[in-house]
Amino acid sequence: MSTILSNCSQLQILSLLENEFDGPIHSEIGRLSNFQILELGTNHLSGIIPQEIGNLVNLAELGMEDNQITGSVPISIFNISSVQILSLWQNNLSGFLPREIRNLTKTQHLQISGNKLIGEIPKEISNLVELEELDLADNSLSGSLDTEIISILGVRIIDLSSNNLSGSLPPNLGSIVPNIERLFLGNLTNFVGTIPHSISYCPKLTILDLSHNKLTRSIPNSLLYLTHLQYLNLEGNNLSSDSPLSLLTSLTNCRNLTILSLSFNPLNSMLPASTGYKHKEVLERRCLLMNQKVY
C-alpha cells in the first residue's frame, strides 16, 4: 500500500473501511499532507500509529476504529488542529491522554472508547469548544471527574462509563451542559453523591445512564421535566424515594420513556397500579427491570 500511496501526493480522500487489510500503518502516510479524510476503520491493522500522522495538517476526519492498533496515541495527532472527527475506538491503545488535547479546538467528535487508556482525563479537554461528542468509555481512566472535564456548552453526547473515575455530579449540571442529549456515567469506580435537581434544566436529554455507582438519597421528582427522556437507568446504586408512587407519577410526564431500570436500589415499597397510566400493562412494562411488585 505504501508504494501506491507514494504516487498519490494530491490525494485528499481515502476510504478503506471494512476490508481485510492487515499489517502496520506505514510512516510514509505522513507524506500525504493534502489528506482531508482518512478512513481505515474496521480492518485488521496492527502496530502503532506513526508519529508522521501529525504531518497531515489539513485532515478533517481521521478514522482508525475497530482495528488491532497498539501503543499510545501519538502526541502529533493532537497537534492536527483542523481535525473535526477523531475516531480511534475499539483498538488496543494504551498510555495517557496528553495535555496537547487542548489543540483540538475544531474537533466535534472525539471517540477513543474500548481501549486501554490510563491516567486522568486532562482538564484541557474543556478547550474543545466545538465538541459535540465525547466518548472515552471502556478504558482504565482514573482520577476525579472534575467539572472542567464536562463543562463544554455545546456537547450533546458524553460517555465516560466503565472507567476508574471518582467524583460526583455537579449541583449546577443543567447550566454546565444544557444541550446534553445522551449522558453515560455508569460503572465508575467511586462515583458518589446525589442526582441534582438541576438535571431538569437539560431539556434535550433522551438517555441517562448512571447505573452501578454509589449514588445516594432520593431520586428527584424533577425528572418529570425531561419530556424527551427515552431511557433511564439508575440500577445498582443506593437511591431511595420518599414515595415510589410519587416517583412513578412524576415520570408519567415522560411520554417517550420506553426503558426504566431502578433495580438493586433500596426502594422497599410496593408499587400500586393507580399511577395515572392508561393501562396497568404499561406500568408493568416500565417496572420490568425494577425490584418492585405491581398490584
Side-chain angles (χ1 to χ4, degrees):
M1 185 187 299
S2 61
T3 303
I4 298 173
L5 292 179
S6 64
N7 296 319
C8 300
S9 58
Q10 299 305 310
L11 196 63
Q12 296 182 4
I13 298 175
L14 177 63
S15 180
L16 301 175
L17 286 166
E18 298 187 26
N19 282 286
E20 299 291 330
F21 292 114
D22 56 17
I25 302 169
H26 203 280
S27 60
E28 286 190 9
I29 202 168
R31 296 182 181 181
L32 304 176
S33 58
N34 287 312
F35 265 153
Q36 295 180 17
I37 297 177
L38 176 59
E39 297 178 335
L40 303 176
T42 314
N43 283 286
H44 302 292
L45 299 175
S46 57
I48 65 171
I49 302 174
Q51 286 284 347
E52 289 80 1
I53 201 81
N55 296 337
L56 308 182
V57 293
N58 295 307
L59 207 59
E61 181 175 342
L62 175 59
M64 296 182 176
E65 71 278 358
D66 196 16
N67 279 289
Q68 299 161 18
I69 300 171
T70 59
S72 61
V73 183
I75 291 180
S76 60
I77 279 186
F78 299 106
N79 290 324
I80 308 176
S81 59
S82 60
V83 71
Q84 299 173 24
I85 299 175
L86 179 56
S87 183
L88 303 174
W89 53 268
Q90 206 62 42
N91 279 287
N92 290 306
L93 295 167
S94 57
F96 300 85
L97 286 175
R99 291 183 175 179
E100 282 78 3
I101 200 170
R102 62 175 174 263
N103 297 325
L104 302 181
T105 54
K106 294 183 179 179
T107 300
Q108 299 172 5
H109 301 272
L110 180 61
Q111 305 162 326
I112 320 182
S113 60
N115 283 283
K116 300 176 182 177
L117 299 178
I118 60 173
E120 297 184 358
I121 301 174
K123 295 179 181 179
E124 287 80 1
I125 205 167
S126 61
N127 286 13
L128 279 57
V129 293
E130 299 292 329
L131 198 64
E132 296 181 11
E133 178 182 4
L134 174 62
D135 185 0
L136 301 175
D138 297 300
N139 281 287
S140 296
L141 295 166
S142 58
S144 178
L145 183 58
D146 294 325
T147 302
E148 292 93 330
I149 294 173
I150 61 173
S151 60
I152 304 169
L153 289 177
V155 70
R156 297 184 299 107
I157 302 170
I158 294 177
D159 192 348
L160 302 176
S161 55
S162 299
N163 276 290
N164 298 325
L165 297 168
S166 60
S168 60
L169 288 170
N172 58 339
L173 179 68
S175 60
I176 293 175
V177 285
N179 294 304
I180 195 71
E181 297 175 12
R182 303 178 185 178
L183 181 60
F184 301 89
L185 295 175
N187 289 288
L188 302 180
T189 300
N190 193 28
F191 202 60
V192 299
T194 63
I195 302 174
H197 286 279
S198 68
I199 199 166
S200 62
Y201 297 110
C202 301
K204 300 179 181 180
L205 199 61
T206 60
I207 296 177
L208 177 60
D209 187 346
L210 302 174
S211 61
H212 299 288
N213 287 306
K214 298 177 181 178
L215 300 177
T216 58
R217 298 189 182 179
S218 293
I219 301 171
N221 289 337
S222 55
L223 291 172
L224 68 90
Y225 296 110
L226 301 177
T227 56
H228 296 287
L229 196 63
Q230 300 173 15
Y231 177 96
L232 176 60
N233 190 353
L234 303 178
E235 69 180 37
N237 282 284
N238 196 31
L239 294 165
S240 60
S241 175
D242 295 335
S243 167
L245 173 59
S246 175
L247 172 62
L248 265 293
T249 301
S250 68
L251 289 175
T252 60
N253 200 48
C254 301
R255 299 296 182 183
N256 296 298
L257 189 64
T258 57
I259 297 179
L260 169 63
S261 180
L262 303 177
S263 303
F264 307 107
N265 281 288
L267 298 178
N268 298 324
S269 294
M270 309 297 277
L271 293 177
S274 56
T275 62
Y277 290 102
K278 185 175 181 181
H279 299 292
K280 181 180 176 182
E281 289 79 8
V282 176
L283 174 61
E284 289 173 338
R285 286 200 299 272
R286 297 200 177 187
C287 297
L288 181 63
L289 299 178
M290 295 175 64
N291 55 339
Q292 305 297 301
K293 295 181 180 179
V294 181
Y295 279 139

mmCIF file of all heavy atoms in Angstrom, residues 1 20 24 33 40 55 64 73 123 142 172-173 182 189 193 204 221 227 233 240 245 249 272 277:
data_model
loop_
_atom_site.group_PDB
_atom_site.id
_atom_site.type_symbol
_atom_site.label_atom_id
_atom_site.label_comp_id
_atom_site.label_asym_id
_atom_site.label_seq_id
_atom_site.Cartn_x
_atom_site.Cartn_y
_atom_site.Cartn_z
ATOM 1 N N MET A 1 0.821 -1.207 0.000
ATOM 2 C CA MET A 1 0.000 0.000 0.000
ATOM 3 C C MET A 1 0.854 1.255 0.000
ATOM 4 O O MET A 1 0.500 2.266 -0.590
ATOM 5 C CB MET A 1 -0.936 0.006 1.208
ATOM 6 C CG MET A 1 -1.917 1.177 1.221
ATOM 7 S SD MET A 1 -2.857 1.275 2.751
ATOM 8 C CE MET A 1 -3.712 -0.279 2.729
ATOM 9 N N GLU A 20 -10.167 -6.263 4.593
ATOM 10 C CA GLU A 20 -9.376 -7.252 5.317
ATOM 11 C C GLU A 20 -7.907 -6.836 5.364
ATOM 12 O O GLU A 20 -7.021 -7.677 5.444
ATOM 13 C CB GLU A 20 -9.516 -8.630 4.647
ATOM 14 C CG GLU A 20 -10.926 -9.187 4.621
ATOM 15 C CD GLU A 20 -11.434 -9.567 6.003
ATOM 16 O OE1 GLU A 20 -10.601 -9.942 6.857
ATOM 17 O OE2 GLU A 20 -12.662 -9.492 6.236
ATOM 18 N N PRO A 24 0.965 -3.142 9.640
ATOM 19 C CA PRO A 24 1.100 -1.818 10.261
ATOM 20 C C PRO A 24 0.732 -0.679 9.314
ATOM 21 O O PRO A 24 0.607 -0.869 8.104
ATOM 22 C CB PRO A 24 2.594 -1.773 10.602
ATOM 23 C CG PRO A 24 3.232 -2.602 9.531
ATOM 24 C CD PRO A 24 2.262 -3.714 9.245
ATOM 25 N N SER A 33 0.271 15.125 2.717
ATOM 26 C CA SER A 33 -0.176 16.263 3.522
ATOM 27 C C SER A 33 -1.467 16.894 3.014
ATOM 28 O O SER A 33 -2.035 17.765 3.680
ATOM 29 C CB SER A 33 0.921 17.329 3.588
ATOM 30 O OG SER A 33 1.272 17.752 2.276
ATOM 31 N N LEU A 40 -9.718 4.313 7.822
ATOM 32 C CA LEU A 40 -9.096 2.990 7.805
ATOM 33 C C LEU A 40 -9.813 2.031 8.761
ATOM 34 O O LEU A 40 -9.274 0.995 9.114
ATOM 35 C CB LEU A 40 -7.616 3.100 8.205
ATOM 36 C CG LEU A 40 -6.747 4.044 7.362
ATOM 37 C CD1 LEU A 40 -5.337 4.123 7.945
ATOM 38 C CD2 LEU A 40 -6.700 3.589 5.911
ATOM 39 N N ASN A 55 1.768 15.026 10.308
ATOM 40 C CA ASN A 55 2.059 15.859 9.144
ATOM 41 C C ASN A 55 0.825 16.133 8.307
ATOM 42 O O ASN A 55 0.859 16.974 7.400
ATOM 43 C CB ASN A 55 3.119 15.183 8.264
ATOM 44 C CG ASN A 55 4.460 15.047 8.964
ATOM 45 O OD1 ASN A 55 4.764 15.783 9.894
ATOM 46 N ND2 ASN A 55 5.255 14.089 8.526
ATOM 47 N N MET A 64 -9.663 5.324 12.506
ATOM 48 C CA MET A 64 -8.876 4.091 12.594
ATOM 49 C C MET A 64 -9.549 3.117 13.559
ATOM 50 O O MET A 64 -8.907 2.254 14.129
ATOM 51 C CB MET A 64 -7.452 4.400 13.073
ATOM 52 C CG MET A 64 -6.642 5.254 12.125
ATOM 53 S SD MET A 64 -4.956 5.516 12.721
ATOM 54 C CE MET A 64 -4.256 6.429 11.350
ATOM 55 N N VAL A 73 -1.462 6.847 21.808
ATOM 56 C CA VAL A 73 -1.909 7.796 20.791
ATOM 57 C C VAL A 73 -0.812 8.851 20.661
ATOM 58 O O VAL A 73 -0.516 9.550 21.624
ATOM 59 C CB VAL A 73 -3.238 8.465 21.185
ATOM 60 C CG1 VAL A 73 -3.711 9.381 20.075
ATOM 61 C CG2 VAL A 73 -4.286 7.421 21.518
ATOM 62 N N LYS A 123 -7.775 18.238 32.130
ATOM 63 C CA LYS A 123 -8.758 19.307 32.215
ATOM 64 C C LYS A 123 -8.770 20.174 30.965
ATOM 65 O O LYS A 123 -9.762 20.849 30.672
ATOM 66 C CB LYS A 123 -8.487 20.170 33.450
ATOM 67 C CG LYS A 123 -8.665 19.422 34.765
ATOM 68 C CD LYS A 123 -8.362 20.321 35.943
ATOM 69 C CE LYS A 123 -8.512 19.554 37.264
ATOM 70 N NZ LYS A 123 -8.210 20.399 38.442
ATOM 71 N N SER A 142 -8.554 7.161 35.253
ATOM 72 C CA SER A 142 -8.717 7.311 36.698
ATOM 73 C C SER A 142 -8.756 8.790 37.060
ATOM 74 O O SER A 142 -8.751 9.671 36.206
ATOM 75 C CB SER A 142 -7.568 6.611 37.429
ATOM 76 O OG SER A 142 -6.324 7.132 37.018
ATOM 77 N N ASN A 172 -24.887 22.138 39.674
ATOM 78 C CA ASN A 172 -25.363 23.009 38.592
ATOM 79 C C ASN A 172 -25.228 22.334 37.236
ATOM 80 O O ASN A 172 -24.928 22.975 36.226
ATOM 81 C CB ASN A 172 -24.607 24.332 38.596
ATOM 82 C CG ASN A 172 -23.089 24.144 38.462
ATOM 83 O OD1 ASN A 172 -22.556 23.071 38.753
ATOM 84 N ND2 ASN A 172 -22.407 25.179 38.022
ATOM 85 N N LEU A 173 -25.452 21.030 37.198
ATOM 86 C CA LEU A 173 -25.284 20.253 35.974
ATOM 87 C C LEU A 173 -26.043 20.854 34.801
ATOM 88 O O LEU A 173 -25.532 20.923 33.685
ATOM 89 C CB LEU A 173 -25.753 18.812 36.210
ATOM 90 C CG LEU A 173 -25.666 17.865 35.006
ATOM 91 C CD1 LEU A 173 -24.222 17.601 34.642
ATOM 92 C CD2 LEU A 173 -26.393 16.559 35.303
ATOM 93 N N ARG A 182 -27.390 12.719 25.497
ATOM 94 C CA ARG A 182 -27.099 11.371 25.994
ATOM 95 C C ARG A 182 -25.957 11.459 27.003
ATOM 96 O O ARG A 182 -24.883 11.954 26.670
ATOM 97 C CB ARG A 182 -26.699 10.441 24.844
ATOM 98 C CG ARG A 182 -27.730 10.339 23.742
ATOM 99 C CD ARG A 182 -27.241 9.450 22.612
ATOM 100 N NE ARG A 182 -28.167 9.443 21.490
ATOM 101 C CZ ARG A 182 -27.972 8.773 20.356
ATOM 102 N NH1 ARG A 182 -26.863 8.050 20.206
ATOM 103 N NH2 ARG A 182 -28.862 8.834 19.391
ATOM 104 N N THR A 189 -15.785 3.683 39.252
ATOM 105 C CA THR A 189 -15.253 3.044 40.453
ATOM 106 C C THR A 189 -15.762 3.669 41.742
ATOM 107 O O THR A 189 -16.167 2.985 42.676
ATOM 108 C CB THR A 189 -13.714 3.091 40.437
ATOM 109 O OG1 THR A 189 -13.256 2.389 39.283
ATOM 110 C CG2 THR A 189 -13.137 2.438 41.679
ATOM 111 N N GLY A 193 -22.473 10.724 45.681
ATOM 112 C CA GLY A 193 -23.299 11.923 45.728
ATOM 113 C C GLY A 193 -24.731 11.659 45.325
ATOM 114 O O GLY A 193 -25.229 10.535 45.408
ATOM 115 N N LYS A 204 -33.123 18.504 26.584
ATOM 116 C CA LYS A 204 -32.933 17.686 25.391
ATOM 117 C C LYS A 204 -32.524 16.249 25.722
ATOM 118 O O LYS A 204 -32.344 15.429 24.824
ATOM 119 C CB LYS A 204 -31.874 18.323 24.478
ATOM 120 C CG LYS A 204 -32.242 19.714 23.996
ATOM 121 C CD LYS A 204 -31.133 20.298 23.122
ATOM 122 C CE LYS A 204 -31.477 21.711 22.661
ATOM 123 N NZ LYS A 204 -30.398 22.286 21.818
ATOM 124 N N ASN A 221 -37.913 14.129 41.844
ATOM 125 C CA ASN A 221 -39.119 14.178 41.021
ATOM 126 C C ASN A 221 -38.986 15.169 39.873
ATOM 127 O O ASN A 221 -39.825 15.184 38.965
ATOM 128 C CB ASN A 221 -40.331 14.550 41.878
ATOM 129 C CG ASN A 221 -40.738 13.430 42.815
ATOM 130 O OD1 ASN A 221 -40.426 12.267 42.567
ATOM 131 N ND2 ASN A 221 -41.424 13.776 43.894
ATOM 132 N N THR A 227 -39.040 15.707 29.284
ATOM 133 C CA THR A 227 -40.133 15.169 28.474
ATOM 134 C C THR A 227 -39.652 14.371 27.267
ATOM 135 O O THR A 227 -40.435 13.643 26.654
ATOM 136 C CB THR A 227 -41.048 16.303 27.996
ATOM 137 O OG1 THR A 227 -40.265 17.275 27.282
ATOM 138 C CG2 THR A 227 -41.721 16.978 29.178
ATOM 139 N N ASN A 233 -31.625 4.665 33.326
ATOM 140 C CA ASN A 233 -31.042 3.521 34.028
ATOM 141 C C ASN A 233 -30.321 4.016 35.273
ATOM 142 O O ASN A 233 -29.271 4.657 35.185
ATOM 143 C CB ASN A 233 -30.067 2.773 33.116
ATOM 144 C CG ASN A 233 -29.618 1.446 33.722
ATOM 145 O OD1 ASN A 233 -29.925 1.136 34.871
ATOM 146 N ND2 ASN A 233 -28.879 0.664 32.950
ATOM 147 N N SER A 240 -33.030 6.083 46.942
ATOM 148 C CA SER A 240 -34.307 5.842 47.609
ATOM 149 C C SER A 240 -35.362 6.761 47.002
ATOM 150 O O SER A 240 -35.078 7.545 46.098
ATOM 151 C CB SER A 240 -34.183 6.099 49.116
ATOM 152 O OG SER A 240 -33.805 7.445 49.362
ATOM 153 N N LEU A 245 -44.772 5.688 44.515
ATOM 154 C CA LEU A 245 -45.946 6.141 43.786
ATOM 155 C C LEU A 245 -45.725 7.538 43.228
ATOM 156 O O LEU A 245 -46.022 7.825 42.078
ATOM 157 C CB LEU A 245 -47.168 6.116 44.696
ATOM 158 C CG LEU A 245 -48.454 6.732 44.118
ATOM 159 C CD1 LEU A 245 -48.857 5.999 42.843
ATOM 160 C CD2 LEU A 245 -49.565 6.679 45.147
ATOM 161 N N THR A 249 -45.539 8.511 39.348
ATOM 162 C CA THR A 249 -46.483 9.511 38.879
ATOM 163 C C THR A 249 -45.764 10.647 38.172
ATOM 164 O O THR A 249 -46.209 11.139 37.135
ATOM 165 C CB THR A 249 -47.307 10.066 40.055
ATOM 166 O OG1 THR A 249 -48.002 8.994 40.684
ATOM 167 C CG2 THR A 249 -48.298 11.114 39.571
ATOM 168 N N PRO A 272 -48.392 0.538 43.549
ATOM 169 C CA PRO A 272 -49.776 0.319 43.123
ATOM 170 C C PRO A 272 -49.955 0.626 41.645
ATOM 171 O O PRO A 272 -49.165 1.340 41.051
ATOM 172 C CB PRO A 272 -50.563 1.312 43.990
ATOM 173 C CG PRO A 272 -49.582 2.396 44.293
ATOM 174 C CD PRO A 272 -48.252 1.721 44.417
ATOM 175 N N TYR A 277 -51.200 5.869 34.629
ATOM 176 C CA TYR A 277 -51.002 5.238 33.339
ATOM 177 C C TYR A 277 -52.357 4.746 32.832
ATOM 178 O O TYR A 277 -53.228 4.327 33.597
ATOM 179 C CB TYR A 277 -50.031 4.061 33.436
ATOM 180 C CG TYR A 277 -48.622 4.487 33.686
ATOM 181 C CD1 TYR A 277 -48.075 4.400 34.958
ATOM 182 C CD2 TYR A 277 -47.845 4.980 32.656
ATOM 183 C CE1 TYR A 277 -46.777 4.786 35.206
ATOM 184 C CE2 TYR A 277 -46.538 5.387 32.899
ATOM 185 C CZ TYR A 277 -46.018 5.274 34.168
ATOM 186 O OH TYR A 277 -44.725 5.676 34.403
#
